[in-house]
Every structure is written in C-alpha cells, then in structure tokens.
Amino acid sequence: MVDNVDTVKELHLHLVSDASGETVLGVARVCLLQFEGFETVEHLSPLIRHIKDVDKVLDRISRYPGLCIFTLVNPEIREALEKGCAELGVPSVPVLDPILGAIANYVDVPMRGRPGRHHGMNSEYFSRIDAMHFVMAHDDGQSTRGLAEADVVLLGVSRTSKTPTCIYLANRGVKAANFPIVPGCALPDEMLTLKGPLVVCLTKDAKLLAQIRRNRLRLLGQEDHTDYTDLDRVEEEVNMAKRLASRNGWHIIDVTRRSIEETAAQIIRLIADREEKNV
C-alpha cells in the first residue's frame, strides 16, 4: 500500500491474442498478484490474426508504452509484433512458448501454428453455453428435471455461495445444479436418490454467515434481527447441513476462507478424481 498517491507508478500492460484473450489476461493477472506499489492499465487486443491488426496494436503501444504480453502462434504475425515492440523499445513476452516448446519436444511432433482457439473452440464454447443454460435452469432448486445430467450438485444453507460457484463452474464447462438446505424443508426425493453426479455440501463459519445475512437484509432494507440471522439458529442450520451430508456420504467443503475460484477449483478436482476412479 502506497500512502502518497503521487508516487504510485502506472504500468501499461498490452495483452495481445489471436483468440479471445482469456488466456493471456488470466496469466497476466495471476502474475500481477505478486507485485504491489503500482497501478496497472490493461490494453486487451484480442483476435489479432492479420498484419494490419498488428499495426493497430503497435500504434496503441507507441501511445501508451508498456510491457507487451502475447499469445500468438502465427510466425509472421508474431514476428511483426516482436519487431515493432523492439523498435519502440518495449519488451514483448510470448507466454505460451515454454509450454508449447516442452510439449513439442516431449511428443516429438511439430506445432501446427494454428491461431489460438479460432478453429478448435466450437465444442468447448458450446459446452460452456450448454453448461450455463443448465445452471440457470437448475439454480436454487428450481427444477429436478434432467438432474442426472449434472456433473455436480451443490447443497448448502442460505448465503454459502452456491449460485456464484455454479456460474463459475459453468464458465469452465461444468454442468452444475444447486439446492438450498432449509430447516423444516425436505430435499426432493430425486436429490436423495441421485447416483450419477458428484454431490457437494458447501458450509461456512456460522458467525461469519450470520453477519453476511444481516448485511444482506440491510441492503434490502429489511429487519436484520430475525431467526435468519440469529447466531444460535445459524449454527443449528450449519450443523444440520453437515449431518445431512455425512449421512449421505456427500463431500463437504468449508468456503469460509475460500474464494469462489478456489471452491470451484476444489470441486473440479473432486470431479476429476472421481472420473479417474471410474475409469
């Protein structure tokens, strides 16, 4: 944290990709987490597939000098970008080169030089869209129809991040459904007899959960001292959910100190482990 705002440095980061830019953007942001003391201005240039596109990128870099990070596989296009950056005195970093080189060496097969996901994205793209539709149709226990087609079903008491986790998973192509665990309300029979999908119960520290619920009610302009926010009642809910999960052999993930991304990563790992065991 820098106290004097005038001393904060500014880094212009030029992120160049021949596809959507998702990869280069993700890599850059992960790396930036290791630094502080400056502000970053991101300039994303996706779908760079022609020399004329490179000219536009270089024009932007000349106006806002900074580090250029790229994921380009076409030799002519990347050469033009690297040459232009060198002339401008700007570093250019091909983030995929070490990985592509290692794969090529290991399998002893030359790389095709095909732009990003331009030709190969269709199945993945439509998988993600299909997963998103599935999540929307099966959010918060809306429907049990087609539940057996889910990759994972998330359970949990109110405000344990079930919906945002499902949406994040859908962006990774994972079909996810979620059901609330509510005191006095039984889960549907379809849920209790489910065999195919992985079932995961999300839980959270009761004290923090009660505070989150109070904040939620305040934002909605509602009374925040209710059974819904009472710490003793919340603890009962959390314990009830854990007992239910244990009784049915479901996985339990405590999301108290986890981000949505971390929770989703753990779920994806559980799915992968399960698939390996079934092979």
Side-chain angles (χ1 to χ4, degrees):
M1 184 71 180
V2 179
D3 295 328
N4 188 348
V5 177
D6 294 333
T7 65
V8 176
K9 296 180 180 180
E10 190 174 69
L11 168 65
H12 286 274
L13 200 60
H14 296 272
L15 308 170
V16 186
S17 170
D18 50 24
S20 67
E22 181 179 345
T23 298
V24 68
L25 182 61
V27 170
R29 287 181 173 175
V30 167
C31 292
L32 286 169
L33 292 174
Q34 303 300 321
F35 301 91
E36 58 183 18
F38 60 86
E39 295 180 353
T40 305
V41 180
E42 296 174 350
H43 303 277
L44 181 61
S45 299
L47 303 176
I48 303 302
R49 295 171 181 160
H50 305 283
I51 295 296
K52 63 180 181 180
D53 297 329
V54 175
D55 293 337
K56 295 178 181 178
V57 173
L58 292 173
D59 179 64
R60 180 183 294 174
I61 294 175
S62 68
R63 288 183 284 118
Y64 306 101
L67 182 64
C68 176
I69 302 176
F70 66 88
T71 53
L72 301 173
V73 295
N74 181 283
E76 183 181 3
I77 294 175
R78 63 176 290 163
E79 182 181 352
L81 178 65
E82 289 176 315
K83 181 180 179 181
C85 286
E87 292 175 350
L88 293 171
V90 170
S92 58
V93 183
V95 296
L96 293 183
D97 276 21
I99 300 173
L100 293 173
I103 294 174
N105 290 334
Y106 189 79
V107 300
D108 195 25
V109 174
M111 191 180 72
R112 292 176 296 181
R114 177 180 294 175
R117 295 157 59 189
H118 179 49
H119 298 281
M121 71 176 287
N122 287 344
S123 60
E124 179 183 349
Y125 173 77
F126 287 113
S127 174
R128 290 163 64 179
I129 295 299
D130 189 34
M132 187 62 73
H133 286 312
F134 188 90
V135 167
M136 293 298 99
H138 297 83
D139 181 45
D140 205 31
Q142 290 184 62
S143 173
T144 58
R145 177 178 293 182
L147 195 60
E149 299 174 12
D151 297 308
V152 62
V153 177
L154 303 185
L155 303 173
V157 299
S158 176
R159 314 315 297 176
T160 49
S161 304
K162 298 183 297 297
T163 295
T165 302
C166 283
I167 292 174
Y168 186 92
L169 288 168
N171 277 298
R172 298 289 298 274
V174 177
K175 289 185 177 180
N178 74 83
F179 284 84
I181 296 178
V182 182
C185 296
L187 289 171
D189 293 337
E190 293 89 342
M191 180 66 245
L192 296 174
T193 58
L194 201 59
K195 299 297 183 183
L198 177 75
V199 181
V200 178
C201 178
L202 304 184
T203 187
K204 184 175 289 187
D205 175 75
K207 187 178 295 185
L208 176 61
L209 187 57
Q211 182 60 52
I212 290 173
R213 291 181 176 185
R214 281 193 292 271
N215 292 340
R216 173 67 173 171
L217 292 180
R218 288 168 186 165
L219 287 173
L220 296 174
Q222 299 178 10
E223 171 61 43
D224 61 354
H225 294 290
T226 66
D227 288 346
Y228 180 67
T229 61
D230 180 77
L231 181 56
D232 290 336
R233 294 293 185 93
V234 174
E235 287 180 341
E236 289 178 10
E237 284 186 50
V238 171
N239 291 331
M240 176 195 67
K242 289 180 179 178
R243 288 194 299 270
L244 178 64
S246 297
R247 188 163 59 246
N248 288 278
W250 297 330
H251 292 276
I252 300 175
I253 297 179
D254 189 335
V255 301
T256 303
R257 295 176 177 82
R258 291 177 184 264
S259 65
I260 298 298
E261 295 85 354
E262 290 171 327
T263 301
Q266 179 64 26
I267 291 169
I268 291 172
R269 181 176 177 179
L270 289 172
I271 293 173
D273 290 345
R274 189 167 183 257
E275 290 176 349
E276 283 187 7
K277 291 179 180 178
N278 293 333
V279 172

